[in-house]
Amino acid sequence: MKEFFNIDERLLKIGEQALEMAQPVFKHIEKTTRYNQQKVLSAFIKNGVSESHLGISTGYGYSDRGRDTLEQVFADCVGAEDSLIRHNFVSGTHTLTVMLFGVLRPNDTILCITGRPYDTLIGVLGIDSDSDGSLAQFGIGFEQVDLDSKGEPDKEEIEKRLRAKSYKAVYIQRSRGYSLRPSLTVEKIGELVSLVKSIAPDTLVLVDNCYGEFVETTEPLSVGADLIAGSLIKNPGGGIAPTGGYIAGRHDLVEQCGYRLTAPGVGREVGASLGHNRELYMGLFAAPHTTGEALKTAVFAAALFNKLGYEATPSYDAKRADIIESVLLKTPEALIAFCQGMQKGAPVDSFVVPEPWDMPGYDSQVIMAAGAFTLGSSIELSADAPLREPFAAWLQGGLNFHSAEAGIMLAAQSMIDKGIIKF
Ligand SMILES: *Cc1c(COP(=O)(O)O)cnc(C)c1O
């Protein structure tokens, strides 16, 4: 590292110690990666993926065998009956929107049991205001059960609500998003699904699976969730898919989502792949490995910043359910120095200096570090931070650990340069 980057000798030494600390955790991550990678390979083989599947369709995209086969391959990878995995989903939020509009009908109510949903879902659900086009405007109700004081789902309250009223669906967000609550393991999601189904067997369980794919050896479908959805510029796109999303789970529900993605009566039979099949296949094939690299990056960052005297959550050796790490940097100066340093280690736009900025939808300024091949991709090393207490940087991604390791080291070096970290 010191041959290529200007890094303090003492920081290099601490970096080596952090790497040493992380080794047993890396071993565990590699076991998961190995299992998931071989699971994905076997799904490719089972479905007879061939060169002809990597071709291009245009226009309506009827009989696009590559597209249809990919949906079966992906379903097998996540333990689903069926899936939609397409570049036509423009983002994670769009994908989740299609899932919700796909299965909910006027006068239905959805109950979120993991507290307030991710920021961009607020407008979709119409939670704070009747945003134009929201589910609320279509007569679909939303209710939420707050997390308990430890940031865990409040099972007692969930049970009470389910006994008092009938809900069409329950919504679970697996990842912590930009909060400090723990992310939900598949095992914990399983406990919630069992609770829901024991009281209300017909209530659907829909999971926002963003950032969770391939972190464990199973996905929420294997513990009884009905649908999962996520973004292809996060884990399951492997850093190769240029855009897109997926919905997977029960066949009849996936069909309903298809009617919302395109048009009722037309559904999933259309949608030209325009040459993206190859990138989506390659991305899915790379996804378990890339997710493992992102996990190693998070673990290393936690270990390094612990050694530098900062709290990081989850702790480096905690069981993980997503790829997010947050480092509590305590002051705005530290947060800015951290993000600016990380940007210096990006393969693209390393020379850019990120600055805090007023962003629509946020109540404080936000600073972001991202130098990615795909705009907005957060399976590539990136960090976001609102400039408010507790001045935490949420970091995620890393296409390969060895380059992301340098990015993390440069973040710490930048804090040394600014006199924030002193030895
Ligand atoms: C990223 C994310 C979303 C939304 O995805 P976008 O692609 O940013 O629209 C929703 N929920 C969670 C938990 C996420 O991490």
Side-chain angles (χ1 to χ4, degrees):
M1 193 169 302
K2 66 179 173 191
E3 191 180 340
F4 304 111
F5 302 103
N6 203 354
I7 291 178
D8 191 290
E9 285 291 342
R10 288 158 298 181
L11 178 58
L12 281 173
K13 199 171 261 168
I14 294 170
E16 285 306 318
Q17 290 165 359
L19 201 53
E20 202 53 46
M21 248 167 93
Q23 286 312 314
V25 189
F26 282 13
K27 257 210 168 111
H28 175 77
I29 292 168
E30 275 158 22
K31 259 172 126 168
T32 307
T33 301
R34 179 188 190 199
Y35 180 90
N36 284 334
Q37 194 64 63
Q38 293 176 4
K39 174 167 68 179
V40 167
L41 173 63
S42 77
F44 274 63
I45 294 167
K46 178 184 153 203
N47 289 286
V49 174
S50 78
E51 197 193 342
S52 66
H53 291 142
L54 309 180
I56 293 173
S57 71
T58 57
Y60 295 122
Y62 288 130
S63 323
D64 185 325
R65 285 178 53 247
R67 179 196 66 207
D68 295 344
T69 303
L70 178 65
E71 308 209 301
Q72 200 49 57
V73 173
F74 187 72
D76 288 342
C77 292
V78 295
E81 282 175 13
D82 201 354
S83 84
L84 294 166
I85 172 167
R86 303 207 175 193
H87 72 88
N88 310 86
F89 290 116
V90 304
S91 67
T93 304
H94 178 217
T95 311
L96 291 159
T97 300
V98 170
M99 172 173 78
L100 294 168
F101 275 97
V103 303
L104 297 170
R105 297 292 178 267
N107 304 319
D108 285 345
T109 302
I110 183 165
L111 178 69
C112 180
I113 59 173
T114 48
R116 190 175 167 87
Y118 191 80
D119 288 49
T120 58
L121 270 297
I122 302 301
V124 174
L125 292 152
I127 296 178
D128 290 342
S129 64
D130 225 5
S131 44
D132 240 352
S134 67
L135 286 154
Q137 278 197 343
F138 286 86
I140 293 158
F142 171 82
E143 291 177 25
Q144 135 188 347
V145 177
D146 291 331
L147 298 169
D148 68 16
S149 58
K150 292 201 202 89
E152 301 279 352
D154 184 344
K155 288 188 182 162
E156 231 167 87
E157 181 62 22
I158 295 167
E159 181 168 351
K160 220 160 79 190
R161 299 283 272 277
L162 289 167
R163 288 201 191 282
K165 180 171 168 179
S166 150
Y167 294 93
K168 174 65 172 285
V170 150
Y171 187 84
I172 293 174
Q173 183 182 308
R174 178 173 174 183
S175 168
R176 65 197 304 189
Y178 300 111
S179 77
L180 285 171
R181 66 128 160 132
S183 50
L184 290 171
T185 59
V186 171
E187 189 187 351
K188 276 194 184 155
I189 291 173
E191 290 167 14
L192 293 173
V193 177
S194 302
L195 175 65
V196 171
K197 299 280 182 184
S198 70
I199 301 166
D202 294 334
T203 296
L204 301 173
V205 177
L206 312 178
V207 179
D208 173 352
N209 204 34
C210 281
Y211 286 133
E213 302 88 355
F214 301 118
V215 170
E216 301 179 64
T217 53
T218 56
E219 302 295 333
L221 297 169
S222 67
V223 291
D226 295 291
L227 283 179
I228 58 174
S231 162
L232 295 189
I233 61 169
K234 295 178 181 173
N235 312 14
I240 296 170
T243 184
Y246 75 86
I247 298 171
R250 240 171 68 184
H251 170 70
D252 59 325
L253 301 175
V254 169
E255 288 281 322
Q256 286 188 326
C257 295
Y259 293 126
R260 179 68 200 198
L261 169 63
T262 69
V266 179
R268 58 199 300 196
E269 302 302 316
V270 298
S273 56
L274 303 174
H276 291 301
N277 281 346
R278 182 171 173 277
E279 291 162 317
L280 266 54
Y281 274 108
M282 270 187 83
L284 175 58
F285 187 68
H289 180 76
T290 308
T291 303
E293 297 295 283
L295 283 169
K296 285 185 194 170
T297 305
V299 167
F300 174 71
L304 178 71
F305 277 86
N306 263 186
K307 291 198 84 63
L308 292 169
Y310 291 90
E311 191 189 338
T313 69
S315 71
Y316 79 99
D317 57 352
K319 184 167 167 53
R320 281 165 195 268
D322 66 16
I323 62 168
I324 314 275
E325 185 66 42
S326 83
V327 183
L328 274 59
L329 293 160
K330 298 186 273 201
T331 67
E333 295 75 30
L335 194 51
I336 294 167
F338 177 95
C339 289
Q340 291 180 343
M342 206 162 99
Q343 184 77 33
K344 286 186 191 163
V348 180
D349 291 337
S350 57
F351 49 85
V352 169
V353 181
E355 296 283 353
W357 204 255
D358 291 307
M359 295 256 300
Y362 289 86
D363 50 12
S364 55
Q365 289 196 319
V366 175
I367 183 166
M368 295 181 174
F373 294 97
T374 296
L375 193 71
S377 166
S378 45
I379 187 63
E380 301 184 50
L381 183 63
S382 48
D384 313 69
L387 264 87
R388 60 165 185 244
E389 296 282 348
F391 299 104
W394 272 265
L395 70 95
Q396 65 269 314
L399 290 181
N400 61 71
F401 172 67
H402 299 297
S403 66
E405 176 195 5
I408 303 293
M409 289 290 280
L410 287 167
Q413 181 63 42
S414 164
M415 291 168 68
I416 295 172
D417 294 343
K418 292 267 158 62
I420 297 161
I421 294 174
K422 298 187 188 80
F423 295 111

